[in-house]
Each structure stands twice: as C-alpha cells, then as structure tokens.
Amino acid sequence: MKIKPHLSLYWKCQLAGWTIASLYWTLQGFLTGGFRIDLALVQLISDVLIYILITHLYRNFSLGHHWEDLDLRSLLIRILPAVLVMGILYAVVTILKLYGIRVLFDLNGQQSMQEFIKLNGLGIFMAGIRLMAIWLLAYHLYHYAKRELRMATEKANIELSLKQTQLDHLHMQLNPHFLFNSLNTIKSLIYTSPNSAGRGIDLLTELLRAGLYKGETLVLPVEEELSLVKDYLELEQLRMGERLTFKIDSNASFSSIPVPRMCIQGLVENAVKHGVAVQKEGGFIQVLLTKASDFLCIEVINPGRLSGESTESGIGLKNLEERLKLTYAGKASFELYEIESGQVYAAVKIPAYE
C-alpha cells in the first residue's frame, strides 16, 4: 500500500499565506496597468520561495533556542528585536529581488541601485516590518495557544489519574476483606487490650478520612504523607502482630517538600500486601527518604519476589508511573527490582520543590 506524503499544518499555512500575499500584490499590479503575465509569474514564485525561506530560517532559530517554551513576557522581549531584524532582512532581499527583476526584464531604464533604494527603500522596509510582525505574532500565538491547551490536557490527565487513584485507595480501604480483618483485630483487642483497640479505631478512622475528605489534593507535604503511611502500617501491625515490623527514616528538613498524594502510601501498601503478608514469617519494611542534587528519593524495601506480583499490583504501580510522568513532565523516575536475599526494592525520584 502506497503511503501519501503528509504536508504539515505549518507548511500548508506557509504556502497558503505567502501565496495569498503575492496574489494580492499581483492584483495591485494588474489594477495599476502595464500588467505582464511573465513578470507576474516570476514575482509570484520568487515572493513565495524567498519569504518562506526567511520565515522558515526564523522558525528553525526559534525552535533551536526553545522560544516556544517561554512565558509570554519573555517571548515578547525577544519578538520585538526579532521583528526589526526580520524587517531589515525582508527589505534587503526584496530590494535585491525587485532591482534584479527590473534588470532581467529591462525595466530599469537609467535608474541606479542607489536611486531605486532612495525611492522605494523606506516603503519596502515598513512593509517588511508590518508583514514580519504579523507572521511572528501569528506563529507564536499559535504555539502559545497550543502549549496552553497541552498543559490544560496534562492537568486534566493528572486530575483524572488522581481520581482513579483515590477510587482505588478508597476501594482498598472499604474492601470487605480489609474491613473484616481490621474490625476483627479491633474486636479481639477489646477484650485483651482496650487501649490498642481504641488506637485501632483511631487509625482506621484516619485512613478512611484521608480517602474521603482529601479528594481535591494533588500533592501533600512529605510530613502529611508519612503520617498516613505510619497510620496504615500501625493498623496492619495490630492485625499481623510481630510478623510485621517497619522503620521510616526521613529528615525533618524534607517535611514541607510536596509529593504526589498517596505516592509513598501506594508503595507501602504494595509492600505489605504482596510482600510481608505472603511470607509465613512476615518481614521488615523500610521506608527511607533522602535528598541529593535537588531530587527527593523515596525508597521502600520489603521481603518478597517480583515473580509473585499480582496483576492488581502491576496496575497500581503503572498508575503511579503515569502520575509521576504527568506531574513532573518526565523529570521524575520510578524503579522496581529484586535485590539479594529475597527482597524487593522500589524507589521514586522526584524534583524536590519547596
């Protein structure tokens, strides 16, 4: 099957825009008299080719210096001198083109280049400033609007991903099996350790509240996220007893750094459900937060093997990777692999924005 060549929107606009402009100049020549079809064709073709070349060179320069990624104020500061430079280039090229055509078609008479520039130079320069200003504004406004639309789409995707995570998180907390185990643990503690039973109720309440009432929060300070993680681990510890031990290591200076909501929580839930819970002897979970080169690294180590990961776990981790990609525009990373002595290592690395 033969594939037809695709002409991008940029080239369609370039060809259409400069062709229409040249046809307009041709119409003006026709209305003023002395019209020649051969001269008109040369003018039209040369106009389209030369002005597309000038504007395309600017486009390559702009892309090479990432001007499309600038904010509006920074972009305007660069556009103003660019219009002047483009106007001068337009004037020089147009004067050479027009004078050359006049010589080629023997229309020049006795007029010298200096006289031609004196009579037409200022008008051509002002026309160039006007045309280049229109072209540059149209080009950059299109890219600015496109970037805003892309950012809005990414934000919507982040929010959608977060909503899905919230639903998954709430489903886990409201899962009959989870509630059954938690409530049974609390019930048994009522008779043997009333204080622990009360603590279990408090922990379960906090977990449910986090799932129900913080739905609009995209990110949380490390301190709040770790508090949720600790509540979850403590509740699971009440249920599993000595089979579950854990340690959370974090520097107080990290407390205000924002992290994606339920990012650490998701890693820890995965470590408990698919790591410690399936080990007969249980195991130890370590949560370690470190900072280096303006990046925050969140590490979770738990007993287990990756070959035993369930589909549900895979979906949760894939969701986390997608959220990191959308939230940090590719600057964050996620790693998951098996290390020595039957342990699984999961690490999230994100920019440490204050």
Side-chain angles (χ1 to χ4, degrees), residues 53-308:
L53 176 62
I54 291 174
T55 50
H56 187 64
L57 288 174
Y58 170 82
R59 174 180 180 262
N60 288 342
F61 176 84
S62 175
L63 290 174
H65 291 78
H66 306 288
W67 284 12
E68 283 74 14
D69 298 327
L70 297 173
D71 60 81
L72 194 56
R73 182 176 178 275
S74 300
L75 182 60
L76 287 174
I77 292 173
R78 288 163 175 79
I79 284 180
L80 292 176
V83 169
L84 179 61
V85 172
M86 295 277 284
I88 294 172
L89 182 60
Y90 173 94
V92 171
V93 172
T94 302
I95 288 170
L96 291 174
K97 182 203 72 169
L98 291 176
Y99 191 81
I101 289 175
R102 289 170 71 90
V103 171
L104 180 65
F105 285 88
D106 197 22
L107 303 173
N108 211 32
Q110 300 298 319
Q111 190 179 44
S112 66
M113 173 69 83
Q114 290 79 7
E115 291 173 328
F116 182 80
I117 294 173
K118 186 175 181 180
L119 288 172
N120 303 287
L122 182 60
I124 293 173
F125 173 69
M126 295 307 297
I129 291 289
R130 184 168 58 252
L131 281 170
M132 292 301 137
I134 292 171
W135 190 93
L136 263 68
L137 287 173
Y139 175 78
H140 284 293
L141 283 175
Y142 168 76
H143 280 282
Y144 185 78
K146 189 177 179 180
R147 187 183 69 176
E148 290 297 307
L149 180 61
R150 184 181 72 248
M151 291 175 65
T153 302
E154 289 179 353
K155 183 179 179 183
N157 287 337
I158 292 172
E159 292 177 350
L160 182 62
S161 178
L162 178 63
K163 290 295 182 185
Q164 185 60 51
T165 303
Q166 292 166 1
L167 289 174
D168 293 341
H169 183 69
L170 188 57
H171 173 74
M172 183 281 299
Q173 292 172 356
L174 297 178
N175 183 289
H177 183 68
F178 175 83
L179 284 175
F180 178 79
N181 285 338
S182 299
L183 292 174
N184 260 354
T185 300
I186 293 169
K187 178 182 176 182
S188 65
L189 289 172
I190 289 174
Y191 303 103
T192 59
S193 180
N195 289 336
S196 296
R199 178 58 180 162
I201 293 173
D202 290 340
L203 294 170
L204 185 58
T205 301
E206 286 300 317
L207 287 170
L208 292 174
R209 182 182 291 116
L212 289 168
Y213 298 115
K214 293 186 179 180
E216 300 303 319
T217 306
L218 293 173
V219 295
L220 284 177
V222 164
E223 186 178 28
E224 292 186 35
E225 178 75 1
L226 288 181
S227 177
L228 180 64
V229 169
K230 187 178 178 182
D231 287 347
Y232 171 78
L233 286 171
E234 194 175 339
L235 181 60
E236 289 288 57
Q237 197 174 48
L238 287 175
R239 180 173 67 87
M240 299 175 67
E242 295 181 356
R243 291 182 61 231
L244 170 62
T245 56
F246 66 89
K247 183 180 181 182
I248 299 175
D249 289 318
S250 178
N251 194 296
S253 62
F254 306 158
S255 61
S256 61
I257 297 175
V259 295
R261 185 166 175 264
M262 290 182 268
C263 166
I264 308 176
Q265 173 79 356
L267 293 178
V268 170
E269 288 175 4
N270 194 68
V272 172
K273 188 172 182 179
H274 304 286
V276 177
V278 297
Q279 304 293 319
K280 183 177 180 180
E281 67 281 5
F284 172 71
I285 294 176
Q286 182 179 13
V287 181
L288 176 64
L289 276 70
T290 56
K291 185 180 176 184
S293 302
D294 296 323
F295 279 87
L296 180 68
C297 185
I298 304 161
E299 301 168 283
V300 176
I301 303 172
N302 61 271
R305 295 191 179 279
L306 289 180
S307 57

Side-chain angles (χ1 to χ4, degrees), residues 33-51:
F35 180 78
R36 288 176 54 177
I37 187 65
D38 55 346
L39 180 60
L41 285 174
V42 171
Q43 289 275 34
L44 188 147
I45 294 171
S46 62
D47 284 347
V48 172
L49 293 177
I50 291 172
Y51 300 141

